Amino acid sequence: MNLFKIVWSYLAAKPLNTFLNVFLMSLGVSIITILLLLSTQFEERITKNAQGIDLVVGAKGSPLQLILSSIYHIDYPTGNIPLEEAQKIARNRMVKQALPMSLGDNYQGRRIVGTDTAYLSHFGMKIQEGRRWEKKMEAVIGAEVAETLGLGIGDEFHGAHGIGGGGHVHDYAAYTVVGIATPTGLIPDQLILTSLESVWHVHDSHDHDHDHDHDEDHKDHDHDNGVHQHGNNHDHDHDHKHDDQKETKKNKAVATSPSDDSDGEGMSFEEIQRLQKARAAAQAGNVRADDREITAMLITYRTPNAVIQFPRMVNQIGELQSASPAFETARLFNLIGIGVSLLQGLAYVIVLVAALSVFIALYNAMKERKYDLAIMRTMGASKGKLATLLMMEGAVLAFLGAAFGLILGHLTISLVTGFFSQTDTLGVDGQLFLVQELYLLIGAVVLGVISALIPAIQAYKIDISETLAEG
Amino acid sequence: MLQLKQVIKKYGARRIQFRDYQFEKGGQHAIIGASGSGKTTFLHLVAGLLRSDEGEISWNEKSYHSFSQNDFDEFRSQTIGIIFQRPHLIRTLNVLDNLRLAAFLSKNEVDDQWLPDLLEKLGLAGKENQSVTTLSQGESQRLAIARAVVHRPELLLADEPTASLDDQNCDRVLQLLTQVAEETGATLIITTHDQRVKKIIDNTIELIHEPI
Ligand SMILES: Nc1ncnc2c1ncn2[C@@H]1O[C@H](COP(=O)(O)OP(=O)(O)OP(=O)(O)O)[C@@H](O)[C@H]1O
Ligand SMILES: [Mg+2]
């Protein structure tokens, strides 16, 4: 026999009451837990993924949408921008790094991102197996893609049009997985990365094969929310010099495939720029300007001063807009923050109601419990022991409620993220436990003790003689 | 040895004056008094549940006046066993756990065999794990007796233990009480208005009170 066993016997004797109290407490605590887990992990992931990116340049539209689509890969891109304009911006002396991105296709819901290999370095993606892309239609897949889609080195796949799964399949040009990146815990783990040229190639072929007629106004053309890459059709036989030069760097096996002689594959953005310049020179006299497009460009500043001047400069260019990840995510947090605060407020109210319910239950129980308490006193229990008994009861109820609440919160998050794992790019881990949860548990127990305080004082003050004389 | 000297308890205008008593160790006494004469008050005073307004009660020459609240808790847990008019069992605990609770609160070591022995003696063997709410009135009363002697008190007090019992049960309970008191060496004091008690307990005293 011990105090806990006595407490437990009282709780077990009133299962419905006990259930209600535990349920209410666990409801409140689980909501708080969910919000806690979501907001901390969400905020952390949001910030981490935007690290080192000072500005995103893309097509005009919602700046938040631009940020979401190009950094977090959760919204549709705002459109495309001319490569030429992007290059001009990239050459600005305030720019330290400019990562081009061309979106528009997916493979089984995983976005295919045309970019250059500096992208991998920027997000700390090393190659755990295979190598980086060197030629057109070679792809490096994020660790998570490799795991969930079961793709391995040498596997081929066809991109589908659109960014969210489904869509028309580009079945004439297959990507080959040449590398698997190390996991970074960042969103690029969920991406398929390739060269800009691959993305252009797929859409160039697409244009040929399907003989879509495109007018010059590209913006009319995002009917299916994907972003088409409309390029002019380059003749692929200029600047052999460069190709040869590249060829020598490649390993033999790859180099032997003769069909792959396109321009710019596996090059850094700087290289592409050089290439484009060379091409422009070679094509001197050709009136048609290079109208390749990219979707967005992730920019890192060279100097902090750029924050003031640079975005303004970008925004002055007709079709372009710039968006600051820091600013836009702060705006997003503010928006979400209101909802979170509201829910949190509600959760705390539920917890308080739970505490009130514990109080009412114990307070009411005192009427029938007073004989028991008095009899315990006659058996030698001190006043303090009776008060402890009542406070323990409040504490046990609150502890059970809080413990179930924590478990419930984690389960909910695990279930929800498990359920949406296909599309979830801001994965929140249900298995992660935070220190705040310990505080939550302790806080709930303290609250349970507090709600038992008045009954405990009654127990402390009980007049044994009078109580037992009544009976 | 329990001693009362000119003890007076006041309830507002109501003033109950008790006779002087001296209860020797191991003795068995019945105190007879009519309803409202102050029997319960008497036992509560002896058990330290009530404090007298005048006079002195002492246990083994030690005056109750010198007892603090904690001393009384300790005193009850070690020295006193009480059986109330109603059994007042803890309804959320089973038969055996009611006894275990008493042992736990008395902080006395109780050997494993003592509780089953007690239940056996009081005709409750086999009901260890039964809920006390399922016990008959007589069984409840006997369990209350068992509970009062779990910690082998030196002073066993019983407040009208036979009040609601028929003749047969009355005899049985009184016999059990005297027997258990004898075995544990406890001084037994029973208060009652039940004249049947006189048949079993020789040493009966009238609870004399003189309202002043
Ligand atoms: N807390 C109290 N406040 C006021 N009066 C009280 C209180 N307790 C007892 N009394 C009065 O003191 C007297 C003695 O009461 P007590 O309960 O001791 O009598 P009793 O002999 O046990 O009666 P019964 O046989 O009915 O149990 C009664 O007149 C009762 O009304
Ligand atoms: Mg009485």
Side-chain angles (χ1 to χ4, degrees), chain A residues 1-3 5-6 9-10 13 371-373 375-383 385 463-471, chain B residues 11 40 44 49-50 69 73 76-77 80 82 84-93 97 100-102 104-107 147:
Chain A
M1 183 58 60
N2 51 51
L3 283 182
K5 201 170 168 188
I6 303 168
S9 82
Y10 284 114
Y371 301 111
D372 292 7
L373 292 169
I375 213 83
M376 286 185 212
R377 287 293 310 279
T378 69
M379 294 193 284
S382 65
K383 292 177 167 197
K385 201 165 242 169
D463 185 326
I464 325 167
S465 171
E466 207 170 304
T467 305
L468 291 171
E470 278 170 32
Chain B
Y11 288 118
T40 300
H44 283 192
L49 303 176
L50 274 179
Q69 184 64 57
D73 289 335
R76 280 192 292 270
S77 78
I80 291 189
I82 321 177
F84 295 91
Q85 272 173 274
R86 274 184 20 195
H88 287 308
L89 301 170
I90 309 293
R91 297 161 65 90
T92 58
L93 297 175
D97 280 341
R100 285 187 181 135
L101 174 67
F104 165 70
L105 291 177
S106 77
K107 297 183 220 89
R147 185 177 62 181

Side-chain angles (χ1 to χ4, degrees), chain B residues 87 135-143 163-165 169:
Chain B
L135 295 182
S136 73
Q137 210 183 337
E139 286 167 339
S140 297
Q141 184 73 343
R142 296 203 296 276
L143 181 58
S164 50
L165 303 178
N169 267 312

Side-chain angles (χ1 to χ4, degrees), chain B residues 152-191:
Chain B
R152 301 178 200 264
E154 292 175 60
L155 188 55
L156 183 56
L157 309 173
D159 193 4
E160 307 205 46
T162 60
S164 50
L165 303 178
D166 58 31
D167 287 354
Q168 201 184 334
N169 267 312
C170 169
D171 282 2
R172 181 159 182 212
V173 161
L174 287 174
Q175 251 142 21
L176 281 172
L177 268 175
T178 50
Q179 194 184 322
V180 164
E182 232 160 69
E183 281 176 28
T184 56
T187 307
L188 175 68
I189 303 175
I190 296 173
T191 60

